[in-house]
Structures are given as C-alpha cells and as structure tokens.
Amino acid sequence: MSITVDLSGTDKLPDTSEIPSAARDLGARIAQMTNAYGNAQMKWWSLTDHYRAPEQTLVYTAMDEPRNASAEIADGVGSSVSALEAFAEAVEAIKLKRAALQADILQAQQADATEDAKRSEDRTHHVLGDLFDMGEDLVIQLRLQQRADALTEELRVAEDACIRAHSAMFTRNTRDVVSVYGEDQ
C-alpha cells in the first residue's frame, strides 16, 4: 500500500514576511492621524482666548467629535494590526508543523516502500501478513491525514479571526456613521 496524505488545505500558505512591517506602518500612520486631530483640537481650544460670542462653546468644541472619532478609528486599526500580527504568527507556526508533517510522511512512505520490497523478496509471505501490513499502513496514513486536516483547520481559524477583526473595524456603528450591516454583524 502506498501512503498518501492530502496536504492541499495548506498548499498555498501566504508569505508573511511583509505582514509585521505593514502592520507597524499602519499603526504608525494611524498614530499620526490621531496626533494630528489631537493637535487640531488643542489649537481649536486656544481660540478661547480670542473668540467671545454666544455660540462660543460650539466653536470651541467643534474639533471634539473629529478627535473622538479618530480615537475610535485608532482602536479599530489597533485591533486590525494585532490581528495581522497574530495571523502572521499562526501561519509561521503552521508552516513549521507542515514541514514536520511532510518529513513524517516521507519517512512513512520510505518505511512502506522498504516493507513492500521485503515482501516481494519473501515468496513465503502469507496473505494474512499482507492484510496486517495494509492495516498498519492504513492506520499510519489516517494519523498523518488527521494531522494534515488539523493544520487546515488551524489555518481556517487564523484566517477567520483576522477577517473578523478587520470586518469589525468597517461594520461598527459610530455616532456619525451607521453601519449598513447593522449591530449584529
């Protein structure tokens, strides 16, 4: 029996080398945005020394909402950055586990080929022995396939978590913008 394992669920693992630096860049840009709104708010508040009118409170607080909204956006982007970093770590761990699994598959295939060669040389080998060997090979193949399937599931969970973190940033309601997807998405 030839031992075969389907690794197609983890065939096309993404290159994660750029993800950490992209996540850091995204975090830095959002920090710049938040700082810019904070600075604008502070400058706007400095008008209190120069502007007196009945509506002055409205003028003084005009930048409060943009500053608060930028803080909310920064929180969402922070979650996205964390999700990207966690995804990259998960993929790297899966790559290591997949490489170990591939080595184990190769070892099992080589052992199976060695056994097959011995059986073909031994003309006195019995049918019962052949069935036993096939059963052993099947158990080995099933165990290896379970590991491959578990890696596929790990990848799916990591992808789903990353997607949910990014989706949450774009679907949540703020005071100014109501999500078209509603609260339960």
Side-chain angles (χ1 to χ4, degrees):
M1 174 180 176
S2 177
I3 294 175
T4 59
V5 178
D6 179 13
L7 292 169
S8 63
T10 55
D11 271 348
K12 296 179 181 169
L13 292 171
D15 177 10
T16 59
S17 62
E18 299 294 320
I19 292 175
S21 64
R24 281 190 302 276
D25 288 347
L26 183 59
R29 289 173 193 255
I30 207 66
Q32 287 174 338
M33 179 199 71
T34 304
N35 289 337
Y37 276 110
N39 290 337
Q41 181 186 34
M42 296 297 281
K43 288 178 182 176
W44 205 259
W45 269 97
S46 70
L47 288 176
T48 57
D49 296 336
H50 308 287
Y51 182 75
R52 302 277 184 222
E55 71 281 352
Q56 68 190 32
T57 303
L58 293 174
V59 172
Y60 301 152
T61 60
M63 286 303 292
D64 290 355
E65 281 302 314
R67 168 60 180 98
N68 294 340
S70 75
E72 288 179 26
I73 291 168
D75 288 343
V77 170
S79 295
S80 283
V81 167
S82 296
L84 285 169
E85 291 169 341
F87 177 71
E89 288 174 18
V91 168
E92 290 305 311
I94 291 168
K95 285 179 181 180
L96 291 174
K97 291 176 188 176
R98 189 178 196 277
L101 176 57
Q102 286 175 308
D104 291 347
I105 291 168
L106 181 60
Q107 183 180 8
Q109 289 170 335
Q110 289 171 341
D112 184 46
T114 301
E115 284 298 315
D116 287 348
K118 285 181 186 176
R119 274 194 298 261
S120 67
E121 289 175 9
D122 181 12
R123 303 282 181 218
T124 63
H125 201 74
H126 296 82
V127 173
L128 190 57
D130 287 344
L131 289 174
F132 179 75
D133 289 341
M134 284 177 55
E136 272 185 337
D137 289 349
L138 185 58
V139 168
I140 291 168
Q141 181 172 312
L142 289 172
R143 286 183 181 152
L144 292 170
Q145 188 61 55
Q146 285 175 332
R147 287 174 55 195
D149 294 345
L151 290 179
T152 300
E153 180 63 12
E154 279 184 49
L155 179 61
R156 187 196 63 74
V157 167
E159 287 172 339
D160 288 351
C162 191
I163 289 167
R164 273 193 314 279
H166 292 307
S167 307
M169 182 172 64
F170 296 110
T171 59
R172 74 174 203 279
N173 294 328
T174 65
R175 287 181 288 265
D176 299 324
V177 179
V178 177
S179 170
V180 294
Y181 301 106
E183 297 266 342
D184 60 324
Q185 294 291 320

